[in-house]
Amino acid sequence: MTSTAAVPPPRATYRRLSVEERRAQLLLAALGLFAHRAPDEVSLDEVAVAAGVSRPLVYRYFPGGRQQLYEAALGSAADELTLCFTEPPVGPPTERVARVLDRYLGFVDEHDTGFSALLRGGSVVETSRTTTIVDGVRRAAADEILRHLGRMGGEQPAGPRLRMMVRSWIAAVEAASLIWLDDGKRPAASELRGWLVDHLIALLAATAATDPETAAVVNDLLALETSDGPAGQLAERVIPIVAEAAHLLPAAAASD
């Protein structure tokens, strides 16, 4: 009988990560912690454990400590959040906005605690640089919405009233997201998304009543909407309510 020597199991292949890959690994680990804890509650030791590396290695890539790591992680999250607002200009505008909000609320849901800490401020790691990063996301989001309204760049840049209206809506979306988290993510995300789209339509209509530019934008948008889309469904619900206010019109008062 011939004895056969036991064959040792193959060694696990070790691959040294590049500088960019290692940095991305550390940021991913940090974002996972910041997503569910306030930034000032996360230690570098915890980031090292989450990434499966030593604490000195974290310091090698982020010699500024937690502050530098947080700003880098925040910048990475900001890039991801900005991408939520990027949508091809295809289909009715309100349906595009609905898809944008689905992605945005999905991000909020996934990063709940970290999102709250980030937007509410008050963290010991908050600085002018982190504030600039967050404001950059807000401005980028507003620019994307204006692009879908046909007023971003080109020969027809947005005027002050329309730009203010869109930025006000972005602020309302942000506030509603925080309230949604406070209320245990109720109502359902889809219901919140529908309400936020309705809110944008209502703001456009109200602004169009006194701003010729917004009126022209609304006229162009309505030509692209459908009866079963968000704008059509809102019109079906609102028109009967508005009809009840017919007695407030000057013509109605003059005929009495």
Side-chain angles (χ1 to χ4, degrees):
M1 183 174 177
T2 304
S3 62
T4 303
V7 179
R11 291 185 178 181
T13 302
Y14 174 78
R15 184 174 70 88
R16 182 183 295 276
L17 297 181
S18 68
V19 171
E20 293 77 13
E21 290 173 326
R22 180 67 74 187
R23 188 173 189 277
Q25 177 199 28
L26 295 175
L27 287 178
L28 183 62
L31 282 172
L33 295 170
F34 291 141
H36 303 294
R37 307 249 306 276
D40 45 315
E41 296 177 356
V42 176
S43 70
L44 288 186
D45 285 335
E46 291 174 299
V47 173
V49 170
V53 300
S54 66
R55 191 172 192 269
L57 183 63
V58 179
Y59 264 110
R60 184 186 307 169
Y61 281 82
F62 300 98
R66 180 173 59 185
Q67 179 65 46
Q68 183 184 6
L69 177 59
Y70 174 63
E71 289 178 8
L74 178 58
S76 177
D79 291 342
E80 183 180 346
L81 189 53
T82 300
L83 286 176
C84 291
F85 285 88
T86 304
E87 177 70 23
V90 178
T94 56
E95 294 182 15
R96 299 179 216 161
V97 173
R99 291 192 290 271
V100 164
L101 288 171
D102 279 337
R103 289 194 295 271
Y104 173 83
L105 292 173
F107 181 94
V108 174
D109 184 23
E110 182 181 355
H111 299 80
D112 42 22
T113 305
F115 181 86
S116 296
L118 164 64
L119 293 186
R120 285 197 170 100
S123 168
V124 298
V125 293
E126 182 183 16
T127 66
S128 60
R129 290 188 296 274
T130 62
T131 300
T132 299
I133 292 172
V134 176
D135 285 343
V137 175
R138 293 167 178 151
R139 291 178 181 276
D143 287 347
E144 286 298 323
I145 296 301
L146 285 168
R147 185 170 286 108
H148 289 295
L149 298 180
R151 287 297 189 276
M152 188 61 203
E155 298 179 357
Q156 293 182 307
R161 289 283 301 281
L162 180 59
R163 178 171 286 278
M164 181 180 292
M165 188 229 79
V166 170
R167 293 190 64 182
S168 297
W169 180 73
I170 294 295
V173 170
E174 185 178 297
S177 301
L178 292 171
I179 294 170
W180 183 61
L181 293 178
D182 281 346
D183 288 347
K185 300 179 183 178
R186 295 189 302 270
S190 59
E191 186 177 341
L192 175 58
R193 177 252 294 151
W195 180 77
L196 289 172
V197 174
D198 288 349
H199 188 190
L200 176 61
I201 298 171
L203 281 174
L204 280 167
T207 307
T210 55
D211 181 49
E213 179 197 9
T214 307
V217 167
V218 170
N219 186 62
D220 292 342
L221 293 180
L222 288 177
L224 302 174
E225 295 295 328
T226 61
S227 59
D228 59 346
Q233 293 177 10
L234 181 62
E236 184 179 3
R237 297 193 302 269
V238 168
I239 288 175
I241 298 174
V242 174
E244 296 296 325
H247 66 286
L248 298 176
L249 299 178
S255 63
D256 290 342

mmCIF file of all heavy atoms in Angstrom, residues 6 10 63 70 95 110 154 240 255:
data_model
loop_
_atom_site.group_PDB
_atom_site.id
_atom_site.type_symbol
_atom_site.label_atom_id
_atom_site.label_comp_id
_atom_site.label_asym_id
_atom_site.label_seq_id
_atom_site.Cartn_x
_atom_site.Cartn_y
_atom_site.Cartn_z
ATOM 1 N N ALA A 6 -0.207 14.071 2.863
ATOM 2 C CA ALA A 6 -1.334 15.015 2.845
ATOM 3 C C ALA A 6 -0.923 16.282 2.110
ATOM 4 O O ALA A 6 0.174 16.816 2.306
ATOM 5 C CB ALA A 6 -1.748 15.356 4.267
ATOM 6 N N PRO A 10 -4.215 25.192 -0.113
ATOM 7 C CA PRO A 10 -3.563 26.319 -0.788
ATOM 8 C C PRO A 10 -3.588 27.565 0.084
ATOM 9 O O PRO A 10 -4.525 27.801 0.836
ATOM 10 C CB PRO A 10 -4.439 26.525 -2.043
ATOM 11 C CG PRO A 10 -5.763 25.933 -1.682
ATOM 12 C CD PRO A 10 -5.446 24.772 -0.773
ATOM 13 N N PRO A 63 -3.363 61.589 8.834
ATOM 14 C CA PRO A 63 -2.551 62.077 9.952
ATOM 15 C C PRO A 63 -3.264 63.136 10.781
ATOM 16 O O PRO A 63 -2.874 63.388 11.926
ATOM 17 C CB PRO A 63 -1.304 62.648 9.255
ATOM 18 C CG PRO A 63 -1.732 62.910 7.839
ATOM 19 C CD PRO A 63 -2.729 61.844 7.536
ATOM 20 N N TYR A 70 -13.135 62.315 9.055
ATOM 21 C CA TYR A 70 -14.552 62.662 8.947
ATOM 22 C C TYR A 70 -14.805 63.547 7.729
ATOM 23 O O TYR A 70 -15.768 63.346 6.986
ATOM 24 C CB TYR A 70 -15.023 63.370 10.210
ATOM 25 C CG TYR A 70 -16.442 63.872 10.100
ATOM 26 C CD1 TYR A 70 -17.509 62.983 9.929
ATOM 27 C CD2 TYR A 70 -16.730 65.229 10.154
ATOM 28 C CE1 TYR A 70 -18.811 63.437 9.811
ATOM 29 C CE2 TYR A 70 -18.032 65.693 10.044
ATOM 30 C CZ TYR A 70 -19.067 64.789 9.870
ATOM 31 O OH TYR A 70 -20.346 65.254 9.746
ATOM 32 N N GLU A 95 -42.060 62.980 -13.022
ATOM 33 C CA GLU A 95 -41.668 61.585 -12.838
ATOM 34 C C GLU A 95 -40.155 61.478 -12.634
ATOM 35 O O GLU A 95 -39.677 60.613 -11.883
ATOM 36 C CB GLU A 95 -42.126 60.744 -14.031
ATOM 37 C CG GLU A 95 -43.651 60.646 -14.137
ATOM 38 C CD GLU A 95 -44.119 59.766 -15.279
ATOM 39 O OE1 GLU A 95 -43.290 58.997 -15.821
ATOM 40 O OE2 GLU A 95 -45.297 59.850 -15.646
ATOM 41 N N GLU A 110 -30.784 54.645 4.657
ATOM 42 C CA GLU A 110 -29.588 53.821 4.901
ATOM 43 C C GLU A 110 -28.611 54.486 5.866
ATOM 44 O O GLU A 110 -27.917 53.815 6.625
ATOM 45 C CB GLU A 110 -28.889 53.543 3.566
ATOM 46 C CG GLU A 110 -27.661 52.659 3.689
ATOM 47 C CD GLU A 110 -26.973 52.413 2.355
ATOM 48 O OE1 GLU A 110 -27.514 52.849 1.319
ATOM 49 O OE2 GLU A 110 -25.897 51.798 2.366
ATOM 50 N N GLY A 154 -26.890 77.531 -20.439
ATOM 51 C CA GLY A 154 -27.400 77.858 -21.756
ATOM 52 C C GLY A 154 -27.863 79.304 -21.844
ATOM 53 O O GLY A 154 -27.341 80.196 -21.181
ATOM 54 N N PRO A 240 -61.125 70.367 -7.776
ATOM 55 C CA PRO A 240 -62.400 70.481 -7.050
ATOM 56 C C PRO A 240 -62.290 71.348 -5.795
ATOM 57 O O PRO A 240 -63.242 72.065 -5.446
ATOM 58 C CB PRO A 240 -62.727 69.025 -6.689
ATOM 59 C CG PRO A 240 -62.010 68.213 -7.715
ATOM 60 C CD PRO A 240 -60.737 68.957 -7.956
ATOM 61 N N SER A 255 -70.528 90.182 -9.885
ATOM 62 C CA SER A 255 -71.828 89.720 -10.398
ATOM 63 C C SER A 255 -72.887 89.621 -9.308
ATOM 64 O O SER A 255 -74.056 89.437 -9.588
ATOM 65 C CB SER A 255 -71.658 88.359 -11.071
ATOM 66 O OG SER A 255 -71.217 87.389 -10.111
#
